[in-house]
Amino acid sequence: QVQLVESGGGLVQAGGSLRLSCAASGRTFSIYAMGWFRQAPGKEREFVAAINWSGGSTSYADSVKGRFTISRDNAKNTMSLQMNSLKPEDAAVYYCASRPGFLSSYDYWGQGTRVTVSS
């Protein structure tokens, strides 16, 4: 199993920045990719960004391109999400997740960290 723990959420003003982190433990050698998802109240969970664990290739939702940057540190088994120019619509609970293969679904999830953006 893989355990994922997010940190770094909080309250920030619109236009501000926040950095989320996700620490992975357990069978981290089985991780193919990791991603960030978010869920706002009353809305479905949505994809934010993902990163390939070995090669480092990344993908982003259109809504965050140019503002968010995903990165990973394989040595520390951590993943981060640098969020800049935050908007009120970015407010949500952010979850990190991992998947074991290219065609696999995300099968391990963290408990989430809340991001609140004041206007």
Side-chain angles (χ1 to χ4, degrees), residues 3 19 100 117:
Q3 293 79 42
R19 186 177 182 88
V117 183

XYZ file of all heavy atoms in Angstrom, residues 3 19 100 117:
34
model
N 0.802 5.250 1.358
C 0.166 6.236 2.211
C 0.535 7.632 1.722
O 1.715 7.898 1.421
C 0.596 6.080 3.675
C 0.110 4.795 4.341
C 0.969 3.585 3.959
O 2.189 3.652 3.900
N 0.314 2.464 3.700
N 1.667 26.842 -1.272
C 2.364 25.644 -1.746
C 1.863 24.447 -0.969
O 1.964 24.403 0.259
C 3.875 25.793 -1.558
C 4.687 24.643 -2.158
C 6.186 24.902 -2.005
N 7.001 23.859 -2.590
C 7.386 23.863 -3.864
N 7.036 24.856 -4.656
N 8.131 22.875 -4.337
N -0.526 3.279 -10.160
C 0.605 2.370 -10.367
C 1.011 2.142 -11.806
O 2.038 1.505 -12.074
C 0.112 1.072 -9.734
C -1.364 1.108 -9.955
C -1.750 2.571 -9.854
N -9.650 30.805 -0.375
C -9.173 32.010 -1.038
C -10.195 33.114 -0.805
O -11.352 33.001 -1.218
C -8.971 31.792 -2.546
C -8.398 33.049 -3.189
C -8.059 30.596 -2.799
